[in-house]
Amino acid sequence: MAEEAKSRGNAAFSAGDYATAVEHFTDAIALSPTNHVLYSNRSAAHASLHHYADALKDAKKTVELKPDWSKGYSRLGAAHLGLHQIQDAISAYKKGLEIDPNNEGLKSGLADAQAAASQSRAAPPPSPFGNIFSGPEMWAKLTADPSTRMYLQQPDFVKMMQEIQKNPNNLNLYLKDQRVMQAIGVLLNVKFGGPNPGDDMEIPEETSTPQSSASERKEDKKMEEEKVAEPEPMEVTGEEKEAKEAKERKAQAAKEKELGNAAYKKKEFEKAIEHYTKATELDDEDISYLTNRAAVYLETGKYDECIKDCDKAVERGRELRSDFKMIARALTRKGTALVKMAKCSRDYEPAIETFQKALTEHRNPDTLKKLNEAEKAKKDLEQQEYFDPKLAEEEREKGNESFKQQKYPEAVKHYSESLRRNPKDPKTYSNRAACYTKLGALPEGLKDAEMCIELDPTFSKGYTRKGAVQFFMKEYDKALETYQEGLKHDPRNQELLDGVRRCVEQLNKASRGDLSPEELKERQAKAMQDPEIQNILSDPVMRQVLVDFQENPKAAQEHTKNPMVMSKIQKLVQAGIVQMR
């Protein structure tokens, strides 16, 4: 029950329904309060909901229950980090790495915590001017105001404002410059006293008169044109130029990716590879170009190239601290390629390990399905590789020898090895059932006998083994049914006939009331655990029938004419619940 609730919680978590996941994990914890994995999972769900206090409580319980489990410290560190308890987070991650030094999740978490600690130490004091220097709004205001527009044509002023924009604390270096003070006034919408910013600028006086010569008028026109000329563009720094070029490269890489996606959908795989390759060359900070190219390689059967791209994507993704989902996708693609390359059961091991790593990065239902399929394929191949009827026969003979010598545990060992070599041999299941019966392991013996009958319904030994187990379990009515079923396939089988006789004797003994009080009590207790007996006793009609048998002989006589009612009465008699006198 706890495992079912856990599975429902995992499914909800994978679907992003974290509140529902918390509910299911809580149900699972109620059923299994000492399971550390359940507290760990609920901690992750709380953290996803940003309920870090609850996440911390569950993480502490996880570590308390399983102090040597590294993931518990990962949950603890994440909860502390969410609560801004940075030093506690660092301590938790370090403790986890002492247990598992190669755990990538703990390494990544420790790096995040240390980065947060550095940022908190290095955070500059807030500027008294707020954010008036941030963003393009500053340049827009300075351009719009006539008193500061002309300053933007002066490189030294532009450089000073750029330095202030990068670090507002640099303002103290330039307060003596009247132009800077004027700019601050414009940005704060405050007028500072002082000379007009245009007072120290040379503006030619108008010298033309109505009698001025043509050459003078021409010169005046030239001066007017100079007045309205566009301002020179601001000087661009090397960093800004590099940023602009990087932005253009990223945009071009994104276009190449779109072209690659279109080619992939059209099954033009070579073109898709070309476009994805160009994208990776233009922008090495987006690992989706690598994972997409890996998908093409996977589709075209170039599994080695696919694995190389996936490994590179994972390595680069960790350097860039990419989204865990992207890293998980790369690992899943690698695992899929490894499955495609697998030729024997051992080849599935690296694929299974890769899928498990992917699930630690991001629990995706598709990845989980691929993991289950790989594990099943590995198990099936192992059985095929281990299958050897000749060796199975040899082990069965060894088991028979041990059985004759009454070395029943040793016989079970040989029969089990024989079944691993050939799991479809009904004789071996029959023999092992006999061993289990001798050892008193009746449930195991019953299971083997039923498997024997399932593999070969005509094999009479299977029925004798099953009937014997049921007889020893004092389920005489069931044993009788088993023996009678076996006689349908082998009517003259003496073992089956003897089994029927023994069962009838026991059932008649109960009908006559010849059971001792202890035997009767034991049989009744056992019968009350039988679902069929429980259904008969809970049936209102049968309860009335039993009352009639005690109090109303005439009605009871009518009931005896009903075969279904009498069949149920017979079962109650055989079980010792009802006695006929």
Side-chain angles (χ1 to χ4, degrees), residues 166 384 399 482 527:
K166 288 180 182 177
Q384 292 175 21
T482 299

Side-chain angles (χ1 to χ4, degrees), residues 308-358:
K308 287 178 184 177
D309 269 2
C310 291
D311 285 338
K312 188 175 180 181
V314 172
E315 181 182 355
R316 186 66 178 139
R318 297 206 190 285
E319 291 174 1
L320 298 169
R321 299 191 181 281
S322 299
D323 187 351
F324 291 145
K325 292 180 182 178
M326 293 296 296
I327 295 175
R329 182 182 300 170
L331 289 166
T332 300
R333 292 232 166 106
K334 178 183 177 180
T336 305
L338 289 168
V339 166
K340 296 283 187 183
M341 296 171 69
K343 295 179 180 178
C344 64
S345 61
R346 188 172 295 178
D347 291 341
Y348 279 92
E349 292 177 2
I352 291 170
E353 183 182 354
T354 303
F355 286 137
Q356 289 171 339
K357 286 181 179 179

Side-chain angles (χ1 to χ4, degrees), residues 77-257:
H80 278 306
L81 198 58
L83 293 168
H84 304 292
Q85 299 168 354
I86 297 172
Q87 292 304 319
D88 290 334
I90 291 173
S91 299
Y93 287 126
K94 286 183 176 179
K95 180 67 175 177
L97 286 168
E98 289 176 8
I99 298 168
D100 186 1
N102 298 319
N103 188 294
E104 294 297 334
L106 289 167
K107 289 180 182 178
S108 177
L110 178 59
D112 289 341
Q114 289 173 335
S118 300
Q119 289 174 5
S120 64
R121 288 195 296 269
S127 169
F129 295 103
N131 59 353
I132 63 171
F133 300 111
S134 62
E137 293 83 1
M138 181 188 80
W139 300 106
K141 285 185 178 181
L142 296 178
T143 303
D145 194 283
S147 65
T148 54
R149 186 185 303 135
M150 64 186 68
Y151 295 157
L152 298 177
Q153 300 178 33
Q154 302 170 18
D156 63 328
F157 173 76
V158 172
K159 188 174 182 180
M160 283 190 290
M161 295 307 295
Q162 288 175 338
E163 292 294 326
I164 294 170
Q165 193 174 40
K166 288 180 182 177
N167 185 358
N169 291 330
N170 290 336
L171 178 63
N172 296 328
L173 303 175
Y174 307 117
L175 285 176
K176 292 182 180 181
D177 193 301
Q178 188 63 36
R179 294 171 298 174
V180 173
M181 293 299 295
Q182 186 67 27
I184 293 173
V186 169
L187 296 173
L188 292 172
N189 295 322
V190 176
K191 290 187 177 181
F192 290 129
N196 188 302
D199 288 349
D200 57 351
M201 301 291 291
E202 280 191 28
I203 301 177
E205 296 179 1
E206 187 177 329
T207 57
S208 63
T209 65
Q211 294 80 24
S212 58
S213 65
S215 62
E216 287 174 331
R217 287 196 298 275
K218 187 176 181 180
E219 184 67 25
D220 289 344
K221 185 177 180 182
K222 183 179 179 182
M223 291 171 64
E224 288 295 325
E225 289 175 352
E226 288 177 354
K227 288 182 182 180
V228 297
E230 290 293 325
E232 295 178 10
M234 289 189 294
E235 189 177 314
V236 180
T237 64
E239 290 181 1
E240 291 175 335
K241 186 177 180 180
E242 288 179 7
K244 183 179 179 182
E245 290 175 352
K247 187 175 180 181
E248 290 174 353
R249 286 197 302 273
K250 285 182 179 291
Q252 185 60 37
K255 289 180 180 178
E256 291 291 343
K257 178 184 176 182

